[in-house]
Amino acid sequence: MSAPAKLTCLECAAVNRVPTDKLTSGPKCGICGAKLSDGKVKALDPATLAKATKSDQLPLLVDFWAPWCGPCRMMAPQFEQAARSLAPHARFAKIDTQDFPQVSQKFGIRGIPLLILFQNGQEIARLSGARPAADIVTFVRSHAKAKA
């Protein structure tokens, strides 16, 4: 059995330990039963974002967006496609900067859409502007410290 990786449940914010060789078998949160790495983009609140960015050992790509932003809305299907492509070795989430403006301030965000890649408690890289799925996948694979 491989070493466990810490994954924050993006539904209830509980930290779970999952053997990395079991990621493809659809692990679920031990508290709420939500799937931990299913290739879907999860909407986050600031508390869950803070916990996941500090705890997760798998790459976590977060889309900072707003509903009024045309490029953000245009990129959403591409972001979802990239999430499916990289599952279960990377997870994707989004946070609405209109609902949570304090997040923009905390991360020094000056323009959206902005993708920030986190892993092992650190920000790894940023990618600004609307991008096609292939560019997003390439970005994660080139910067992540794991098999993505």
Side-chain angles (χ1 to χ4, degrees):
M1 187 177 334
S2 64
K6 286 194 267 181
L7 295 176
T8 303
C9 175
L10 300 179
E11 298 292 332
C12 74
V15 177
N16 294 263
R17 293 185 187 276
V18 178
T20 53
D21 61 350
K22 301 289 184 191
L23 288 172
T24 56
S25 63
K28 294 182 180 178
C29 175
I31 303 297
C32 74
K35 291 184 179 182
L36 294 173
S37 188
D38 60 0
K40 294 184 180 173
V41 177
K42 306 290 186 197
L44 301 180
D45 60 41
T48 304
L49 174 65
K51 196 167 190 181
T53 58
K54 289 178 186 169
S55 303
D56 279 21
Q57 293 175 309
L58 280 185
L60 174 66
L61 186 63
V62 181
D63 176 16
F64 293 83
W65 74 288
W68 51 262
C69 171
C72 297
R73 291 192 320 269
M74 286 179 9
M75 187 179 73
Q78 298 296 310
F79 192 67
E80 291 167 5
Q81 182 181 344
R84 289 188 300 273
S85 297
L86 291 173
H89 303 291
R91 300 192 312 155
F92 284 57
K94 62 183 183 175
I95 189 157
D96 185 338
T97 58
Q98 178 177 308
D99 286 348
F100 305 111
Q102 70 273 24
V103 172
S104 295
Q105 186 177 20
K106 178 180 178 183
F107 289 100
I109 296 170
R110 297 185 182 185
I112 55 173
L114 176 67
L115 305 177
I116 302 180
L117 182 63
F118 298 94
Q119 188 173 6
N120 296 322
Q122 297 180 16
E123 178 181 321
I124 304 297
R126 291 181 178 216
L127 182 65
S128 60
R131 305 294 177 133
D135 286 2
I136 297 168
V137 169
T138 300
F139 170 74
V140 173
R141 285 188 173 146
S142 65
H143 290 92
K145 298 177 181 177
K147 181 177 96 177

